[in-house]
Amino acid sequence: MNSGKTRVVIAGGGTAGWLAAYSLAKRLGTQLEITLVESDLIGTVGVGEATIPTMKSFHSLMEIDEREFMAATQATFKLGIWFDNWANIGDSYIHSFGVIGQGSWMAEFHEYWLELHAQGLGGNLEDYCLEWKAAKQGKFATQAGKTNLNYAYHLNATAYAQFLRGKSEALGAKARGRQDRHGQACLRRRATSSRWSWKAAHPCPGDFSSTARVSGRC
């Protein structure tokens, strides 16, 4: 029976597929008939997924509760990206998610700092970024998503896809298993937390979490 809605088919699940499905269902669900086709032969990658602060903005736009999301995906907060052995062995660098210093109409902050640095003044660049300092000290706090710090998340990608699937299906999106070449239905694998574990004691060079020194080995 034709519902009169425009039909949309999303090929492939995982975080990308279910992000697309949920976004469409949330904003255009009354106008679209959404079907996502996924296969158990190609499962969602079961690793820790790194994000940047735009993920927080996306969740706000899509009305995803932060506490619910973090509990469902085993997520931790993240204030930047830590690069070990960046230029030379022994070097380290944090690409923080915060603003460094305060510029003016005359010039950007880093131009002032570079001039002072050349004169042996100004201290370290990290001294002028709150997120940078908090990350190095392993400190972070937020209450109901309210904080002056810019942050992102490190999360369980498999659990995140399943989290988005549940929300998408609640809004009317449908999931179908793909048929393999032998004509047998591919059952959709459901994510379980046992497929992925969090070990903050083992550092992952690319990602920094404020809840532990680094966010866990990927």
Side-chain angles (χ1 to χ4, degrees):
M1 184 175 181
N2 192 340
S3 64
K5 296 182 178 180
T6 299
R7 301 181 66 184
V8 175
V9 176
I10 299 171
T15 54
W18 286 111
L19 274 169
Y22 179 70
S23 300
L24 290 172
K26 183 68 175 179
R27 295 301 174 188
L28 298 170
T30 59
Q31 304 172 46
L32 303 176
E33 182 180 314
I34 304 165
T35 301
L36 184 144
V37 180
E38 62 180 351
S39 170
D40 191 43
L41 298 180
I42 308 174
T44 302
V45 59
V47 299
E49 183 103 354
T51 66
I52 57 178
T54 49
M55 177 66 78
K56 181 174 178 291
S57 301
F58 170 78
H59 283 180
S60 178
L61 179 65
M62 294 296 159
E63 301 177 325
I64 293 177
D65 181 78
E66 184 173 81
R67 290 187 178 184
E68 179 189 7
F69 149 74
M70 294 196 73
T73 63
Q74 302 168 309
T76 61
F77 295 108
K78 161 179 166 180
L79 295 169
I81 304 172
W82 192 320
F83 297 92
D84 282 324
N85 302 318
W86 176 239
N88 301 291
I89 299 299
D91 287 350
S92 66
Y93 166 72
I94 295 178
H95 176 83
S96 70
F97 292 151
V99 175
I100 299 177
Q102 182 175 345
S104 73
W105 64 272
M106 295 180 63
E108 295 299 327
F109 175 81
H110 71 274
E111 296 178 283
Y112 292 112
W113 182 81
L114 285 171
E115 179 63 28
L116 285 172
H117 189 66
Q119 300 176 35
L121 303 171
N124 296 320
L125 188 61
E126 66 185 68
D127 293 337
Y128 301 93
C129 179
L130 185 59
E131 286 80 359
W132 198 334
K133 299 297 285 186
K136 291 197 72 172
Q137 295 180 39
K139 295 181 178 179
F140 178 83
T142 181
Q143 183 176 8
K146 297 178 181 179
T147 178
N148 291 327
L149 296 173
N150 290 309
Y151 63 89
Y153 313 99
H154 203 90
L155 53 93
N156 178 338
T158 303
Y160 187 51
Q162 191 68 13
F163 173 75
L164 291 169
R165 174 180 173 171
K167 287 195 166 294
S168 301
E169 291 180 332
L171 293 173
K174 301 175 182 178
R176 293 182 181 176
R178 181 179 65 80
Q179 297 287 322
D180 67 16
R181 63 181 179 176
H182 301 295
Q184 298 174 339
C186 301
L187 299 177
R188 294 184 294 275
R189 176 164 48 215
R190 295 191 176 274
T192 61
S193 59
S194 61
R195 290 188 59 200
W196 186 89
S197 61
W198 196 256
K199 297 181 180 179
H202 301 287
C204 173
D207 294 287
F208 184 87
S209 165
S210 62
T211 57
R213 182 176 184 274
V214 285
S215 51
R217 182 171 297 281
C218 300

